[in-house]
């Protein structure tokens, strides 16, 4: 281990182990004392590193077991926008995205209402399976209005863009402004069970996401589906400063 490392380096070390699947949900984290000894840092530094991991939803306290790796979590859009700004990709460390389908479909009522089109209107969709450490995390289907596909024709191709919303916003010359995320729980469909590696009757969590540009136009409507045990986290400032 690096000698006298800062808390950020320690947090990044364990973050990568968790993201890459080397440490899995339920695995016990080293004690704070062990971290102090191996990294040659103070108690305050080790505690601060562990606090960062807990705040990110990667670890959790467990009665009788100390700190353990938390259940799989799926980053919300704000976290992915920050990741894209820092790395050029919306995927977190250890994540991969497999494109399952790129096609034109008739928008169902929920999608049509949020895109502002009539139900059944031809709509471009990109379906992706995101994995972390080789294990499925969530299935995402993104729908785009025609003017977005005109500006970013790559969205009609079965290749990764690294960040579809960011690409579209850049081409349109308008920044992403806000997002509405509507969360529900329901039974998984057969295709969802297959993609996520689930068996039997399983409850999944669905996030219906509508992303608006700063000029009010919709840049994407997406449906993200994950196992019901996957932790979805949001952090919203309640005061300025």
């Amino acid at each position: 281990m690096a000698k006298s490392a800062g808390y950020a380096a320690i947090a990044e070390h364990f973050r990568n182990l968790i993201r890459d699947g080397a440490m899995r949900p339920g695995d016990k984290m080293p004690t704070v004392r062990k971290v102090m000894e191996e990294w040659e840092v103070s108690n305050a530094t080790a505690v601060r590193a562990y606090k960062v991991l807990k705040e990110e939803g990667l670890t959790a306290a467990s009665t009788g077991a100390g700190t353990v790796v938390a259940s799989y979590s799926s980053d919300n859009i704000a976290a992915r926008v920050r990741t894209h700004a820092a790395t050029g990709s919306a995927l977190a460390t250890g994540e991969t995205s497999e494109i399952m389908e790129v096609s034109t479909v008739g928008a169902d009522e929920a999608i049509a209402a949020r895109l502002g089109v009539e139900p059944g209107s031809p709509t471009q969709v990109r379906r992706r399976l995101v994995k972390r450490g080789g294990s499925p995390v969530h299935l995402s289907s993104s729908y785009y209005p025609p003017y977005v596909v005109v500006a970013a024709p790559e969205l009609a191709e079965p290749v990764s863009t690294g960040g579809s919303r960011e690409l579209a916003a850049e081409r349109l010359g308008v920044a992403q402004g806000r997002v509405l995320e509507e969360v529900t729980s329901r039974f998984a469909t057969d295709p969802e069970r297959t993609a996520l590696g689930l068996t039997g009757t399983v409850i999944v969590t669905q996030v219906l996401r509508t992303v608006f540009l700063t000029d009010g136009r919709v840049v994407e409507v997406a449906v993200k589906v994950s196992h019901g045990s996957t932790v979805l986290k949001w952090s919203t400032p309640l005061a300025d400063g």
Side-chain angles (χ1 to χ4, degrees), residues 27-43:
D27 285 354
K28 189 174 181 179
M29 296 286 292
T31 63
V32 168
R33 180 172 294 277
K34 184 73 170 177
V35 172
M36 292 169 57
E37 293 173 351
E38 292 192 358
W39 290 81
E40 297 185 2
V41 295
S42 67
N43 176 270

Side-chain angles (χ1 to χ4, degrees), residues 2-13 35 39-41 45-46 48-49:
K3 304 301 182 183
S4 301
Y7 79 92
I10 298 172
E12 180 67 9
H13 170 76
V35 172
W39 290 81
E40 297 185 2
V41 295
T45 298
R48 188 174 182 185

